Amino acid sequence: MNKAYPTEELLRISGVNPNKCMKCGKCSATCPAYDEMEYHPHQFVSMVNSGDIEPLMNSESIFKCLSCFACVDRCPRGVEPAKLIEAVRIAVVRKQGNNHLLADDVPNMLDDEIPQQAIVSAFRKYSK
Amino acid sequence: MQRIGVFVCWCGSNIASTVDVERVSEALKNEQGVVFSTNYQYMCSQAGQDLIKSAVKEHRLTGIVVCSCSPRMHEATFRKAARSAGINPYMVEIANIREQCSWVHKDIITGTEKAIILGKAAIAKVNLNAPLIPGESPVTKRALVIGGGIAGIQTALDIAEAGFLVDIVEKKPTIGGKMAQLDKTFPTLDCSACILTPKMVDVAQHEKIRIFSYSEVSSVKGFVGNFDVTIKKKARFVNENICTGCGACVEKCPQKKIPNEFNLGMDNRSAIYIPFAQAVPKVATIDPNACNMLKNGKCGLCARVCTAGAIDYTQKDEYIEEKYGAIVVATGFNPISMEKFDEYAYSQSRDVITSLEFERLTNAAGPTGGKLLRPSDNKHPHTIVFVQCVGSRCSVDSEKGKEYCSKICCMYTAKHAMLVRDKYPDTEVYVFYIDVRTPGKAFDEFYRRAVEEYGVHYIKGMVGKVVPEGEKLKVQASDLIENKQLHIDADLVVLAAAIEPDKSARGLATMLTASMDTNDFFTEAHPKLRPVESPTAGVFLSGTCQGPKDIPETVSQAGAAASKVIALLNKDKLLGNPCVAHSNEEICNGCSQCERVCPYGAISYINKEFKMPDRSIKTRRIAVVNPAICQGCGACTVTCPSGAMDLKGFTSKQIMAEVDAICR
Ligand SMILES: Cc1cc2nc3c(=O)[nH]c(=O)nc-3n(C[C@H](O)[C@H](O)[C@H](O)COP(=O)(O)OP(=O)(O)OC[C@H]3O[C@@H](n4cnc5c(N)ncnc54)[C@H](O)[C@@H]3O)c2cc1C
Ligand code: SF4
Ligand code: SF4
Ligand code: SF4
Ligand code: SF4
C-alpha cells in the first residue's frame, strides 16, 4: 500500500493549481486512455485537491495515462491535468526506494509489460 | 487673506463615535485663516446647511471647510449651500473624516488625530483657493448612432421620437445587424424578422432619421455637445436615391459565385446584390472585388437592365462632415473564429457549424429555405450534437478563447435543440454543457421544457474531439454524471461559439477617446450607476458593444442610452467643469509631452507671437487646453517637464500646501 503524499507536495512538484478547474470534463472527454483508467484526468484534479490521494497512488491509472498531453492542450482553464498525474506517478516511484534508475540498467529491465512512462518517471525521480 | 469657517459633522454616531468632534473643531480654530469653527450632528441636513449660511453672513466668511463624509457624497450639497450664501462654490473644501477616519479606525485617539490632520490640510488648501467660474458651450441638437443593429435602431428611434435629429452610420449595405439573421427568438419563439423588420421600416420612414449605410466614421473631433464627425460613404456604384430595389440587376448579373455573407458563406450571391428581401435601405450594392465591369471593364449588364438608370460605375467614396451633440456607439458583436478549436473539426467538415450558421439553416429565408439539411450532402441529419461554451470561459493561460461567459449561448442552444425536436421528432439531440445558465424572465422554464417536453439529452460534460469519418462525425465526449466517456456518431455538430466585440470597435474607441476593457468591450462610466455612458462626456453605449446581451437586454439598454442623449440634447448650453488644466504660456516650451499623455485629446498646440523685451517679435509653439474636453485628470500637470501645466482648483501649490500641513 502506498501511503498518501500531501496535496501541497503534489501541487509543488506539478506546478498545477487545481482551483482553476471549472469541472467541465473536457480533459476526460479528450483522453485516449479513458477506458483503461479507473480514475480519469478530471478526477485526478478533483481528488488531489480534496486530499483523496491514496486511491490514486494505488491505482493502475497512473501507468495507463499515455502522457500524451491531449488533456493539457484542450483544457480551457490551463489546469494541465497530465502534469498532476505525472506528479502522482513520481510520488509512487519515489516511495519505492531511494535510488533512481541509471541509464545502463534500463535494457535489462525492458519487457513487453513495463509501461514506458514508469521508466521515464523513474529517471526523473529526484531530478529537480 | 481668507476668512475661513470650519464645520465638523458628527454624521450621527457614524463619525462621532470614533472621532472626538469637539476636539477637532477646537483644534482647527487656531489654524491660519480660520475665524470660526463649530460642530453639528448632521451638517448635510437643512439645519446644518442653514448653520453654514448664517455663519457666512455673521463672520463674513470667504472660504469653507466641511469635515464630513466623502466629497463624492456631499461636496455638491455644500457647494450649493455656499452659492446660496453668496460664496463661490469652489471656495468649499471637504475633509473626509468618515471613510478615511471613523470607518477605518477603531481607536478614538488615532481617529481624532487623523481627523485634525485632514482638517488642517483642507484649511491649507482653502487658503490658496480662488473662485472658479465654469465655462459654457452650446449643444448641437443632433445625435450620431454608430452601428445599425437592433441596439442602434432602438436608440435612434427613441431619440427621434423625442424630436431630435439622428443619423445612423452602418458599415454594411443594410441595417439590421445579427438580429436580421436569426430565425426565432427565445424565450417566446417569435420570428426575429417579424419583430425586427417593422422597426427597420420605422427607421427608414422617420423624418428625423437619416441612414448612412455602407458607411464608416472616419474621424471624430470636438467634445460633448460639439462633435465634428467625418463619415465615409463607401462607393456602392448604385445611386441610392434612384434605385428602387427591383432586383432586375441582381437577376441578370452573370457573376453569381460569390460567397453570400448574409448566409455566412453557405450559399452564393451575385456581384451586384441586395443582402436580403427586407433590407433597409433596399438598394443594390456592387461588390468591387467581384464585378467584371469594375475589375476589367467588361460586362455592364446591370446598367443595361436597370430601367431606373441607377448604376454608376464611376461612383467614388464620399466624405460627409456633420456636427453632433452626442454620439452613441452600437457596434455590436461577432462570433469568434473557430481556428483555435480545431479539435471540433470546424475547418475539416462542412457539417460542423456555428450556432449563427445554424440560425441561417433553419431560417425560411436561408440557404435551404428553412429545411434542416446538412451542408455537405443536403441530407436530413438524425443525430445532432450541440457543444456549449466553445471559446467562452477560457483562462488567460490557456491562450485560446475568451475569459468571460458569452451569456446568450445557453439560451439559444436550448432554443435550437427544442426547435429541432419539435420540427423533426425523428432526431436525437444532445447538448453538452458545463453549466446551464438561464437567469432571466421565463428562461429556466424554457430550458426545462427543452429537456422535459422535447426530450433533448442534456449531458453534463464536454466534447473532447470530433473526427469526420465517412458520412459521420465521430464525437468523443465525457458524461460526468455517469462517469463515462461517450462516443456518438453524429450527422451534424453545432458549436456555440463565444462572441466578441466587432473588430472595428478598437479603432473607433481611439477616435472617440472612449475606454475599453481588455476584451475590447466599451467600458461604462460606472459599472452600476452609469451603465450606458462611457467615461468620455457625450459618448454613450448601446447593446453588445458594451458586453454580451440578448435582445431584451439590448433593447432596454438602447432605450436607456437614448434617454441620456435626450437629456443632453435638451440643454441649450453645457456648463463645464472649471477644474481643468491650463498651460502657462510664458513657461511652456511646446515639447508635446502633455499631448501624448492626455487620455481625452484635450491638448493642442498653437504658434503664438510674443513681444520680446527688445521689442522684437518671436513666435513660439505653446500648449492650449480645450476646457470643454479636459476632464481634470491631471496627467499632463505631472508630466510637464517645465512645470507649465497646472490644474485649476488643484494647483501644484495647493497640493503642496496640503502635504506640508499633513507633515507639519
Ligand atoms: C446564434 C445566435 C442566436 C441568438 N438568438 C437570440 C434569441 O433567440 N433571443 C435573443 O434575445 N437574442 C439572441 N441572440 C443575441 C442577439 O443577436 C443580440 O442580442 C443582438 O443582435 C445584439 O444587437 P446589437 O445591435 O448590439 O449588435 P449587432 O446585431 O451585432 O449589430 C451591430 C451593428 O453595427 C454594425 N457595425 C459594427 N461596427 C461598425 C462600425 N465601426 N461602423 C458602423 N457600423 C458598425 C454592424 O454591421 C451591425 O449591423 C442570438 C445571438 C446569436 C449569435
Ligand atoms: S495525458 Fe494522460 S490523462 Fe491526459 S489525455 Fe493523455 S492519456 Fe489522458
Ligand atoms: S440598381 Fe436598378 S435594377 Fe438594380 S435594384 Fe436598383 S433599380 Fe433595380
Ligand atoms: S451562456 Fe452558457 S454556453 Fe454561453 S458561455 Fe455562458 S455558460 Fe457557456
Ligand atoms: S488634466 Fe487631464 S484631461 Fe486635462 S488636459 Fe491634462 S491630461 Fe488632459
Side-chain angles (χ1 to χ4, degrees):
Chain A
M1 264 310 243
N2 281 304
K3 273 207 69 199
Y5 244 60
T7 299
E8 299 74 55
E9 187 61 11
L10 292 177
L11 300 188
R12 194 185 62 78
I13 297 172
S14 61
V16 165
N17 174 3
N19 289 335
K20 289 202 302 193
C21 171
M22 65 168 158
K23 305 189 193 299
C24 70
K26 194 168 177 185
C27 49
S28 293
T30 293
C31 181
Y34 187 97
D35 289 335
E36 308 284 313
M37 292 168 88
E38 178 189 3
Y39 297 108
H40 306 116
H42 75 278
Q43 288 173 292
F44 271 84
V45 177
S46 165
M47 288 169 76
V48 169
N49 204 14
S50 56
D52 202 5
I53 291 160
E54 233 179 275
L56 298 176
M57 290 179 72
N58 289 312
S59 166
E60 296 253 308
S61 300
I62 48 176
F63 298 115
K64 298 293 182 190
C65 163
L66 305 165
S67 290
C68 70
F69 273 49
C71 53
V72 172
D73 181 60
R74 307 282 155 78
C75 171
R77 306 293 312 167
V79 176
E80 309 186 312
K83 290 195 179 169
L84 204 54
I85 299 172
E86 166 78 357
V88 179
R89 207 150 50 216
I90 290 176
V92 170
V93 177
R94 277 188 190 177
K95 288 264 166 174
Q96 256 141 30
N98 274 333
N99 54 338
H100 57 99
L101 275 184
L102 296 173
D104 292 343
D105 300 338
V106 174
N108 304 327
M109 299 176 68
L110 285 181
D111 62 39
D112 289 346
E113 295 289 298
I114 189 162
Q116 287 234 342
Q117 50 283 47
I119 299 179
V120 176
S121 298
F123 269 123
R124 286 196 209 141
K125 206 157 65 160
Y126 289 106
S127 56
K128 269 186 250 169
Chain B
M1 192 62 189
Q2 307 280 14
R3 295 178 59 81
I4 300 168
V6 176
F7 303 87
V8 183
C9 182
W10 303 11
C11 195
S13 62
N14 262 316
I15 293 174
S17 64
T18 356
V19 168
D20 183 343
V21 284
E22 193 61 48
R23 244 195 77 205
V24 176
S25 59
E26 254 328 285
L28 296 179
K29 227 172 212 158
N30 307 320
E31 286 298 296
Q32 189 195 344
V34 176
V35 294
F36 175 72
S37 181
T38 187
N39 59 76
Y40 182 68
Q41 218 163 4
Y42 292 108
M43 282 313 307
C44 59
S45 68
Q46 197 52 56
Q49 293 186 47
D50 288 343
L51 186 77
I52 295 178
K53 286 180 211 165
S54 59
V56 168
K57 245 191 221 133
E58 199 174 318
H59 301 279
R60 288 176 290 115
L61 301 182
T62 61
I64 293 170
V65 169
V66 188
C67 303
S68 61
C69 52
S70 159
R72 279 183 174 255
M73 194 78 198
H74 277 308
E75 186 175 63
T77 313
F78 296 123
R79 278 186 175 165
K80 236 163 121 190
R83 183 186 290 125
S84 66
I87 304 191
N88 182 288
Y90 293 90
M91 296 304 293
V92 176
E93 290 297 332
I94 309 284
N96 182 354
I97 63 165
R98 192 177 75 178
E99 283 83 343
Q100 293 178 0
C101 292
S102 64
W103 280 2
V104 287
H105 293 290
K106 290 203 175 76
D107 162 38
I108 193 159
I109 299 181
T110 331
T112 307
E113 228 169 84
K114 188 165 164 192
I116 293 172
I117 292 172
L118 292 180
K120 283 181 179 173
I123 293 165
K125 186 172 179 214
V126 175
N127 270 300
L128 298 174
N129 274 19
L132 297 175
I133 294 160
E136 279 182 350
S137 56
V139 179
T140 307
K141 309 247 171 212
R142 183 187 291 115
L144 171 65
V145 175
I146 307 171
I150 181 60
I153 289 174
Q154 189 62 49
T155 302
L157 283 173
D158 289 351
I159 297 172
E161 275 305 296
F164 295 105
L165 297 169
V166 189
D167 290 346
I168 299 179
V169 171
E170 165 58 56
K171 67 174 176 182
K172 301 244 172 85
T174 172
I175 59 171
K178 249 58 80 201
M179 195 175 161
Q181 292 173 293
L182 305 182
D183 180 25
K184 299 199 168 53
T185 52
F186 65 75
T188 43
L189 295 181
D190 26 12
C191 139
S192 190
C194 315
I195 54 177
L196 175 69
T197 46
K199 278 193 189 286
M200 290 166 64
V201 173
D202 288 350
V203 166
Q205 292 178 345
H206 207 294
E207 53 172 7
K208 300 272 183 194
I209 302 179
R210 281 191 299 182
I211 302 172
F212 294 98
S213 62
Y214 211 45
S215 302
E216 272 161 43
V217 170
S218 66
S219 90
V220 179
K221 293 207 172 63
F223 49 91
V224 53
N226 295 278
F227 293 106
D228 293 301
V229 177
T230 309
I231 299 166
K232 176 182 171 186
K233 231 168 150 316
K234 290 177 278 185
R236 69 194 318 155
F237 307 103
V238 172
N239 185 333
E240 258 182 75
N241 303 323
I242 310 181
C243 172
T244 60
C246 69
C249 52
V250 177
E251 214 165 283
K252 286 280 150 29
C253 177
Q255 186 54 272
K256 287 211 157 36
K257 286 259 143 62
I258 316 302
N260 181 359
E261 300 86 352
F262 189 70
N263 283 335
L264 302 153
M266 290 188 293
D267 65 355
N268 292 329
R269 60 159 168 82
S270 43
I272 187 165
Y273 65 106
I274 299 173
F276 55 99
Q278 297 82 15
V280 168
K282 192 168 180 190
V283 294
T285 303
I286 299 182
D287 175 349
N289 299 318
C291 167
N292 293 337
M293 187 66 186
L294 291 171
K295 280 202 304 198
N296 48 36
K298 290 193 191 117
C299 184
L301 251 179
C302 52
R304 260 175 276 150
V305 297
C306 177
T307 47
I311 310 282
D312 175 6
Y313 300 116
T314 63
Q315 205 176 61
K316 296 264 169 326
D317 292 349
E318 198 185 330
Y319 290 86
I320 295 152
E321 284 178 20
E322 193 55 87
K323 274 186 166 305
Y324 298 98
I327 298 179
V328 182
V329 186
T331 47
F333 74 98
N334 288 302
I336 64 166
S337 148
M338 288 290 92
E339 183 182 84
K340 286 191 178 158
F341 298 91
D342 214 37
E343 63 266 31
Y344 297 126
Y346 180 79
S347 71
Q348 301 156 39
S349 167
R350 290 174 63 202
D351 299 332
V352 179
I353 60 174
T354 65
S355 300
L356 196 55
E357 288 163 3
F358 185 87
E359 293 279 349
R360 295 312 300 155
L361 273 190
T362 48
N363 193 303
T368 55
K371 271 207 201 103
L372 182 60
L373 302 172
R374 342 201 284 168
S376 66
D377 54 11
N378 277 334
K379 281 191 190 151
H380 167 58
H382 291 278
T383 305
I384 304 169
V385 170
F386 289 88
V387 190
Q388 294 198 163
C389 299
V390 179
S392 297
R393 308 171 65 188
C394 297
S395 73
V396 187
D397 36 328
S398 76
E399 287 170 8
K400 302 172 193 174
K402 305 290 175 185
E403 261 194 290
Y404 48 85
C405 162
S406 294
K407 197 171 182 179
I408 53 175
C409 13
C410 278
M411 279 301 286
Y412 70 56
T413 299
K415 169 184 78 174
H416 294 162
M418 184 190 287
L419 289 172
V420 172
R421 287 282 302 149
D422 184 43
K423 215 163 155 191
Y424 308 100
D426 63 330
T427 50
E428 289 296 330
V429 175
Y430 298 87
V431 175
F432 286 89
Y433 69 93
I434 305 173
D435 304 282
V436 179
R437 295 181 167 170
T438 52
K441 193 167 161 183
F443 280 18
D444 207 64
E445 298 91 313
F446 182 85
Y447 145 62
R448 289 313 306 168
R449 249 173 48 222
V451 180
E452 293 169 27
E453 283 176 39
Y454 291 86
V456 176
H457 309 299
Y458 265 78
I459 297 171
K460 161 78 190 156
M462 259 310 239
V463 172
K465 60 177 176 184
V466 177
V467 181
E469 221 180 278
E471 291 215 334
K472 292 287 177 188
L473 296 162
K474 300 263 178 203
V475 175
Q476 181 178 308
S478 58
D479 180 334
L480 294 181
I481 304 288
E482 302 209 354
N483 201 12
K484 270 203 288 211
Q485 195 174 59
L486 303 180
H487 299 269
I488 301 170
D489 284 350
D491 301 310
L492 188 69
V493 171
V494 185
L495 308 176
I499 63 173
E500 66 181 357
D502 192 274
K503 294 268 190 248
S504 66
R506 178 145 293 270
L508 195 62
T510 310
M511 254 188 259
L512 294 166
T513 64
S515 51
M516 296 186 128
D517 64 18
T518 49
N519 297 310
D520 279 8
F521 285 115
F522 283 86
T523 38
E524 322 78 37
H526 188 285
K528 288 156 205 132
L529 302 178
R530 296 172 68 193
V532 297
E533 295 155 84
S534 90
T536 303
V539 176
F540 302 88
L541 310 174
S542 175
T544 44
C545 66
Q546 178 257 347
K549 275 179 205 69
D550 57 20
I551 297 164
E553 266 188 288
T554 299
V555 171
S556 322
Q557 201 202 17
S563 80
K564 293 288 168 192
V565 170
I566 294 164
L568 170 63
L569 298 188
N570 245 326
K571 294 185 179 137
D572 291 321
K573 283 192 163 66
L574 290 177
L575 271 193
N577 165 19
C579 299
V580 290
H582 71 111
S583 141
N584 183 337
E585 55 182 37
E586 304 290 332
I587 308 177
C588 171
N589 61 17
C591 71
S592 293
Q593 304 237 28
C594 51
E595 185 198 18
R596 260 175 252 140
V597 296
C598 177
Y600 304 97
I603 302 173
S604 57
Y605 297 88
I606 56 163
N607 289 318
K608 190 170 170 181
E609 293 183 343
F610 287 90
K611 260 203 196 106
M612 304 312 283
D614 62 0
R615 297 173 148 239
S616 66
I617 303 278
K618 202 177 154 193
T619 308
R620 264 185 31 232
R621 181 179 140 90
I622 54 163
V624 244
V625 178
N626 185 333
I629 305 178
C630 172
Q631 304 287 315
C633 74
C636 52
T637 62
V638 289
T639 303
C640 177
S642 36
M645 258 311 165
D646 221 343
L647 201 58
K648 289 183 196 166
F650 296 89
T651 60
S652 303
K653 265 194 183 158
Q654 286 173 300
I655 306 286
M656 287 317 290
E658 282 187 281
V659 175
D660 282 345
I662 289 171
C663 301
R664 224 189 298 141

